[in-house]
Amino acid sequence: MGDRTTVPSLAVTADGHGERDTRARVARLILEQGPITASALGERVGLTPAAVRRHLDALLAEGMIEVRRARPQARRGRGRPAKWFAITDAGRSAFVHAYDDLASAALRFLAEKAGSAAVAEFARRQIADLERRYRPVVRAAPPQQRVRVLAEALSADGYAAAAAEAPRAGGQQLCQHHCPVAHVAAEFPQLCEAETEAFSRLLGTPVQRLATIAHGDGICTTHVSPRDLGAGGDTGSDTASGETSDTTQGNGNDEESGRTSL
């Protein structure tokens, strides 16, 4: 959590406006959609080429973004190949939220007064709204498409998520390139655990958290077991109110593997 003071914050504060806000929008789009070209950025943010270049130059100077080599399909005619811009580790760290410190202090107070179980209950109740919103669209999808549909729903909420086939053990992986509560979750892993439990219920199959941004990894990676992916996927459908069971599917996998949810 200490690194946050070493890079410029791209968070939009209550009194922020103008150039900095626009630059934050550009950087967030690179985080969520990158690598991306300057022309694509301009179209999506509604900026002139000169304005885009100004913001990109500033972000490059701050170390928030980097230039990648042009993709083969980007070459058109004899012109200069397009540059692709991607977020750096420093840029990702700069996406802090104005209320991180307040949230951490509040959870610290709750833990001191009511214990860690109260923090876990709070985390489950916070994730319950997300789970309620996602359930209809995830359950409406064919079982083998549910990880992809969940990734799309998470991306719409700013998590920059993607689905992929698991490289070795079978099943699929759900990858989140951005976590809005990463700095708070670094101190309170109950937030990650509640999210993992919700993924298991939504997908109707055991899941295992392999890596998290809060733990210092580049992305949050969740392995989704192939077991039961072809079934109805109705496991735990009545538990999204926040009153979840202590024996979740995800926790057992973590304990057996010797890893925590972080």
Side-chain angles (χ1 to χ4, degrees):
M1 295 178 67
D3 321 6
R4 285 185 292 166
T5 57
T6 64
V7 294
S9 172
L10 294 177
V12 178
T13 58
D15 59 351
H17 58 277
E19 287 280 295
R20 197 65 187 176
D21 283 6
T22 303
R23 193 163 302 159
R25 289 173 59 207
V26 170
R28 180 173 290 279
L29 192 59
I30 295 172
L31 170 72
E32 296 178 356
Q33 303 295 327
I36 190 170
T37 64
S39 59
L41 280 168
E43 291 174 5
R44 298 192 186 192
V45 185
L47 295 174
T48 64
V52 171
R53 283 195 298 272
R54 184 172 68 251
H55 290 299
L56 289 173
D57 287 344
L59 291 168
L60 284 167
E62 292 174 353
M64 300 295 100
I65 62 173
E66 62 185 1
V67 177
R68 297 277 178 88
R69 290 183 178 179
R71 298 177 180 175
Q73 63 268 31
R75 295 180 179 272
R76 295 179 179 177
R78 297 184 179 180
R80 184 177 300 175
K83 292 180 180 179
W84 294 76
F85 297 90
I87 203 76
T88 62
D89 289 340
R92 187 177 290 107
S93 298
F95 276 92
V96 297
H97 289 254
Y99 298 107
D100 270 5
D101 291 339
L102 179 61
S104 295
L107 288 175
R108 246 178 258 122
F109 178 83
L110 180 62
E112 290 171 5
K113 295 296 181 181
S116 61
V119 176
E121 182 181 357
F122 170 82
R124 288 193 293 266
R125 291 197 178 187
Q126 285 295 106
I127 208 72
D129 177 63
L130 175 146
E131 189 174 347
R132 277 192 295 267
R133 289 191 293 108
Y134 291 176
R135 182 182 294 107
V137 66
V138 172
R139 293 297 172 83
Q144 292 295 336
Q145 296 295 321
R146 288 177 181 171
V147 179
R148 178 184 60 79
V149 170
L150 177 56
E152 291 173 353
L154 287 164
S155 292
D157 280 343
Y159 288 84
E165 294 299 316
R168 288 187 297 275
Q172 299 179 63
Q173 284 187 347
L174 178 65
C175 301
Q176 297 158 262
H177 295 266
H178 178 55
C179 175
V181 296
H183 293 102
V184 182
E187 185 175 356
F188 297 98
Q190 294 95 328
L191 297 171
C192 293
E193 291 163 5
E195 184 181 72
T196 305
E197 293 167 6
F199 289 168
S200 181
R201 290 191 297 271
L202 284 166
L203 297 170
T205 189
V207 305
Q208 182 180 8
R209 192 52 68 83
L210 303 178
T212 64
I213 295 171
H215 195 224
D217 300 299
I219 60 176
C220 296
T221 305
T222 304
H223 179 263
V224 181
S225 170
R227 182 157 50 98
D228 296 332
L229 278 177
D234 294 327
T235 304
S237 61
D238 295 327
T239 59
S241 63
E243 305 292 333
T244 55
S245 166
D246 290 335
T247 55
T248 61
Q249 295 171 343
N251 289 349
N253 285 346
D254 288 342
E255 292 170 359
E256 292 169 9
S257 66
R259 297 177 66 96
T260 66
S261 291
L262 284 181

